[in-house]
Amino acid sequence: MAAVSYRSEKEAVNVIRNFIPAWFAVIMGTGAVDILFHVFPYGKGSQGMKIITLIFFLLNLSLFIVFAFISLVRYIMFPDAWGVMIRHPAQSLYTGTFPMGSITILTIAVGLIHDDYNFGGKPFMYVLWSFWWIDVLCSFLCCFGVLHYMKTTHTHTLETMTPAWVLPVITLIVTSSGGGVVASSLYKYSLNHALITASLAIFMVSIGLSVALMILTIYLLRLILHGLPPGGTITSAFLPLGPTGQAGYAILLLGQFFETVLPLPYGSSKFLVAETTGASINVVCTIISVVLWSLASGWLFFALLGVQNIMRQTRIPFKVETWGLIFPNGVYANLTLSLASTLDSTFFRVWGSIYAVATLILWCFVTTRTFVLIRNKRIFEIPS
């Protein structure tokens, strides 16, 4: 019995020591599926869809709390682990999964818990707003901190580059979309606070999208010069759907917000008090969102072609990083469904629904494989 207890304790310690930041991609993926249930056009607003959305929300929140606790214990038990991780050229890129995963929880908390169920009223909304500000801080630290380490500490080459380079940058884009959701609900309590939130969201999505497009341009050059990423790393080919799809969604939300709040009832700015400003901003934002959806669709074709090419040559191993497949596909489906609602388009509605179902099937497959590998502890690999 003592030997069994010692072995179990040793296995638990190994799990904690090897609990890399990429595990928060599970939160991102589950949260993306949760959001798709919330916006799914067929049965939207029904009690059944709300219950499913709430179940996924509670599951995701529970996982987030557990993962955050394990991560905290990891860095307390192994204080050197943080330094090793942040200097690692691959693992450090996944630090952004923490703020991005938390935004998926915040989005449902605002849209379902506060807006649909009217839970908590103004105090609860301001609690969620404060969480968003914490996420903003984490996003800026992840983005500029990791990019700084990439330039000063890590060793990278064009040949070994993957789309995972965009992960620290996407944090700004994802948090800006959360700002769009928060601002739309915060508006009825405070116009000034909502405007501050939306303005910062514009600032964040502008930086995040600009840098992400620069990185994706370099990645396309890498593909042309050195070919497809080898083996299992080909799954990262879907990551470009993340910045393009989520930026399109964030910009679409912000355009709709400004159409709602403008013109302002006060001030001397001719731009902000003009009757046509809000509608004009919304039109421009909608056009930009369609362009970004088209760009995401282009990267989707590249990814599908690349995956089928690699799968004909070798098997793709399953790792915890495979969870990174779900979020970019989920945000692409979410943008498609949002455009369907905005444009009243049957094409976007049908295509978005098909893609949302495909994303759910992918989530079920990845979840099943994860449970199998958790039982035999194979998924808890020691980072190099």
Side-chain angles (χ1 to χ4, degrees), residues 15 20 25 122 157 159 192 205 210-211 214 239 244 251 254 256-257 259 273 324 330 348 350:
V15 167
I20 56 179
K122 182 177 179 180
T157 64
E159 186 174 0
N192 287 338
V205 74
S210 300
V211 178
M214 296 177 198
L239 287 179
T244 50
I251 292 170
L254 292 168
Q256 293 168 353
F257 167 79
E259 184 178 35
V273 300
F348 280 112
V350 173

Side-chain angles (χ1 to χ4, degrees), residues 93-328:
L93 302 177
Y94 287 89
T95 54
T97 57
F98 176 83
M100 288 190 284
S102 60
I103 280 294
T104 64
I105 297 174
L106 182 66
T107 299
I108 296 299
V110 174
L112 179 68
I113 308 301
H114 177 267
D115 292 352
D116 290 353
Y117 286 123
N118 298 314
F119 176 84
K122 182 177 179 180
F124 181 65
M125 189 64 234
Y126 272 89
V127 169
L128 296 178
W129 190 47
S130 65
F131 284 145
W132 180 77
W133 280 103
I134 295 173
D135 213 280
V136 168
L137 176 61
C138 292
S139 297
F140 274 105
L141 289 175
C142 287
C143 177
F144 292 101
V146 174
L147 285 178
H148 177 71
Y149 269 92
M150 290 176 70
K151 293 182 291 184
T152 60
T153 304
H154 301 166
T155 300
H156 296 281
T157 64
L158 184 62
E159 186 174 0
T160 59
M161 178 196 185
T162 71
W165 280 20
V166 303
L167 282 175
V169 178
I170 301 178
T171 55
L172 296 181
I173 299 174
V174 175
T175 305
S176 73
S177 69
V181 173
V182 169
S184 299
S185 296
L186 191 63
Y187 162 62
K188 60 185 177 183
Y189 300 119
S190 173
L191 174 59
N192 287 338
H193 291 165
L195 285 172
I196 291 171
T197 303
S199 300
L200 180 57
I202 292 174
F203 176 70
M204 295 176 72
V205 74
S206 299
I207 295 176
L209 180 60
S210 300
V211 178
L213 291 177
M214 296 177 198
I215 294 175
L216 292 181
T217 302
I218 298 172
Y219 177 61
L220 181 59
L221 174 65
R222 177 249 180 272
L223 290 176
I224 294 172
L225 294 180
H226 300 289
L228 296 171
T233 55
I234 189 60
T235 57
S236 64
F238 287 94
L239 287 179
L241 274 68
T244 50
Q246 193 70 3
Y249 176 63
I251 292 170
L252 188 66
L253 282 179
L254 292 168
Q256 293 168 353
F257 167 79
F258 281 110
E259 184 178 35
T260 300
V261 302
L262 296 180
L264 292 181
Y266 58 84
S268 58
S269 170
K270 293 183 179 180
F271 176 75
L272 296 178
V273 300
E275 291 291 335
T276 58
T277 298
S280 300
I281 291 175
N282 191 30
V283 169
V284 172
C285 288
T286 301
I287 293 173
I288 293 174
S289 296
V290 173
V291 171
L292 288 172
W293 178 87
S294 302
L295 181 59
S297 298
W299 278 108
L300 173 61
F301 297 147
F302 284 140
L304 291 175
L305 289 172
V307 168
Q308 66 83 29
N309 185 276
I310 294 296
M311 289 185 68
R312 287 192 287 110
Q313 302 174 21
T314 182
R315 291 184 60 187
I316 298 178
F318 186 90
K319 298 181 180 181
V320 66
E321 288 86 353
T322 307
W323 274 94
L325 275 170
I326 300 174
F327 183 79

Side-chain angles (χ1 to χ4, degrees), residues 33-56:
V33 171
D34 194 18
I35 292 172
L36 291 178
F37 275 115
H38 186 58
V39 301
F40 198 74
Y42 302 102
K44 182 178 180 180
S46 65
Q47 193 61 30
M49 294 299 285
K50 287 183 179 180
I51 291 174
I52 295 175
T53 304
L54 184 61
I55 290 173
F56 267 81

Side-chain angles (χ1 to χ4, degrees), residues 315-351:
R315 291 184 60 187
I316 298 178
F318 186 90
K319 298 181 180 181
V320 66
E321 288 86 353
T322 307
W323 274 94
L325 275 170
I326 300 174
F327 183 79
N329 285 289
V331 300
Y332 173 74
N334 184 39
L335 173 59
T336 306
L337 292 175
S338 298
L339 288 172
S341 176
T342 300
L343 303 175
D344 191 22
S345 167
T346 302
F347 166 76
F348 280 112
R349 187 175 300 110
V350 173
W351 173 236

